[in-house]
Amino acid sequence: MTPNIHPSRLILDELTTAIMVVDAEHRILSLNHAAEELFRVSARQVHGQELEQAIRATDIFSELINTACTSGGSYTQRERRVNISDQRMVTIDCTVTPLEGERVLIEIAEVDRHTRITKEHNLVVQNRAIAELLRGLAHEVKNPLGGLRGAAQLLEAELSDNELREYTQVIISEADRLKNLVDTLLGPKNPTSPEIVNVHEVLERVRALVDAEGIEGEAGVVMSPVPIVRDYDPSIPLLYVERDHLIQALLNLVRNARQSAGPQGNIILRTRTQRQMTIADKVHRLVARIDVEDDGPGIPVEQQEQIFFPMVTSRAEGSGLGLPIAQNLVSRMGGLIEFTSEPGCTVFTIWLPMETDHE
Ligand SMILES: Nc1ncnc2c1ncn2[C@@H]1O[C@H](COP(=O)(O)OP(=O)(O)OP(=O)(O)O)[C@@H](O)[C@H]1O
Ligand SMILES: [Mg+2]
């Protein structure tokens, strides 16, 4: 099928390490798939271009190429933090090796990828434990609630004094509030089945909903927010997922972004695809990446470990359930939610496998 491609080239494309070969003038001779993904470029486009022009954050590579060429041997630099593409800060290990014919081999391994996989594994385990605990607790609370509400109603019917009815009304409305909370914890009632979904159609719906919601600005004045910006990759394939669950998860993330950024803040919805990505110990050939980015104040470092726990909230009117519910819904689709946050740039990312064989 691909007669012009050498077999070793195909193997290089399967690697998760990014590989580049440049000539003495730093012109790009070759780039594997992992390098294309890392730098978000196409090998065909950048072929023959100077490294410094073709990709970002190349100071480090120029510097390493010079060091390796001067010493005449392989040179490795570990844990260098670079801003590589799409505002993505990554930590890399980079090895530069001079080859014959004044060519230079550059190998780049994302360190974040390994720490991410461990962190992500912990997140998946934590998420399952939280879901189990909540389900058990929710059932225990829900059972007596119906009886409690019914008894309060009977009592109310017997009362002739209106003032006393205030008390039964408190019991009834609090029982209703608890029931709603418990229903939210138990998740969607009717299990929906996966269907073929156009991710951009889903995102447009979420965007329209959140843009239409007024948000409280300064002095409690309700304002129309700055419209959400779209940065979609039109080539992203169709997904096979539970549509309603994806909408709910995205709504929770986009509402958080709006609440954090405020009515004047900017939100970007971004879609991309990524090859060779591990989610919950499973390597996927192709995954969809949906970013919800905001320029709000960010999540304080000391709070970052906890935000996926239920009831963790920094907002007076927040229930702290938005994120754990979103994480639960996405993990049921075989995906995962991760985030990076610093003041002025918080990005929540939903990863969703593209294969149809997810749980
Ligand atoms: N984009 C964001 N920027 C800054 N902080 C965030 C962002 N998203 C979430 N957080 C923090 O994480 C906390 C938990 O979010 P979560 O959605 O679970 O609950 P909530 O928004 O407080 O309440 P609700 O149940 O109404 O969603 C938030 O209170 C906020 O402190
Ligand atoms: Mg929320």
Side-chain angles (χ1 to χ4, degrees), residues 7 10-11 14 16 27 48 62 75 84 101 142 162 183 194 252 260 295 311:
L10 290 176
I11 293 171
E14 293 298 317
T16 52
R27 279 190 301 251
S62 314
Y75 182 76
I84 226 136
K142 197 173 178 177
N162 262 348
D183 284 341
N252 292 2
S260 168
D295 60 0
M311 318 287 169

Side-chain angles (χ1 to χ4, degrees), residues 31-204:
L31 207 78
N32 72 345
H33 274 336
E36 286 182 298
E37 283 297 334
L38 184 65
F39 296 112
R40 306 257 184 265
V41 293
S42 119
R44 204 171 297 169
Q45 267 171 11
V46 298
H47 184 88
Q49 286 187 27
E50 267 179 46
L51 189 63
E52 290 74 2
Q53 247 102 64
I55 57 182
R56 274 215 237 158
T58 43
D59 290 358
I60 166 182
F61 303 120
S62 314
E63 179 191 315
L64 294 181
I65 293 170
N66 292 339
T67 316
C69 290
T70 317
S71 70
S74 204
Y75 182 76
T76 300
Q77 189 162 83
R78 294 206 182 278
E79 306 207 358
R80 225 4 227 260
R81 197 125 173 90
V82 288
N83 182 350
I84 226 136
S85 63
D86 270 356
Q87 303 252 315
R88 230 161 37 101
M89 288 297 289
V90 290
T91 311
I92 56 167
D93 284 350
C94 182
T95 303
V96 179
T97 313
L99 302 176
E100 274 177 22
E102 298 204 318
R103 290 170 311 150
V104 182
L105 171 72
I106 307 171
E107 297 165 69
I108 307 154
E110 259 188 81
V111 183
D112 293 345
R113 200 183 151 84
H114 302 292
T115 28
R116 194 190 66 75
I117 289 170
T118 322
K119 225 169 112 182
E120 176 245 88
H121 179 77
N122 292 342
L123 209 61
V124 170
V125 174
Q126 188 190 70
N127 185 33
R128 280 188 197 141
I130 291 172
E132 284 290 305
L133 177 74
L134 284 183
R135 270 187 176 271
L137 206 65
H139 275 294
E140 284 304 307
V141 175
K142 197 173 178 177
N143 288 340
L145 271 184
L148 204 71
R149 192 184 195 283
Q153 272 176 321
L154 288 176
L155 187 64
E156 192 171 80
E158 298 295 318
L159 292 176
S160 49
D161 185 346
N162 262 348
E163 266 184 34
L164 289 177
R165 283 196 182 161
E166 262 180 43
Y167 299 118
T168 50
Q169 275 306 315
V170 170
I171 302 175
I172 293 170
S173 66
E174 285 300 288
D176 287 344
R177 194 179 62 83
L178 261 181
K179 184 178 173 296
N180 283 339
L181 179 70
V182 165
D183 284 341
T184 320
L185 288 179
L186 286 171
K189 250 187 243 136
N190 308 319
T192 53
S193 44
E195 55 191 295
I196 293 171
V197 171
N198 175 337
V199 67
H200 297 137
E201 187 248 312
V202 162
L203 281 166
E204 283 302 282

Side-chain angles (χ1 to χ4, degrees), residues 256-257 259-260 294 298-299 303 307 312-315 318-324 346 348:
N256 280 352
Q259 281 151 0
S260 168
D294 71 73
I299 305 164
Q303 208 189 312
I307 56 163
V312 171
T313 179
S314 61
R315 297 188 303 113
S319 65
L321 290 177
L323 286 178
T346 297
F348 275 81

Side-chain angles (χ1 to χ4, degrees), residues 189-264:
K189 250 187 243 136
N190 308 319
T192 53
S193 44
E195 55 191 295
I196 293 171
V197 171
N198 175 337
V199 67
H200 297 137
E201 187 248 312
V202 162
L203 281 166
E204 283 302 282
R205 209 191 130 119
V206 170
R207 197 173 69 89
L209 279 170
V210 178
D211 272 349
E213 287 170 357
I215 171 151
E216 247 182 60
E218 271 165 39
V221 183
V222 176
M223 302 169 67
S224 309
V226 172
I228 294 172
V229 174
R230 291 167 280 179
D231 174 8
Y232 296 162
D233 172 359
S235 69
I236 201 164
L238 293 169
L239 297 174
Y240 186 67
V241 293
E242 286 78 358
R243 188 169 183 277
D244 293 347
H245 292 187
L246 182 58
I247 292 179
Q248 186 61 57
L250 277 164
L251 269 177
N252 292 2
L253 297 188
V254 179
R255 284 195 174 123
N256 280 352
R258 177 50 74 211
Q259 281 151 0
S260 168
Q264 299 306 317

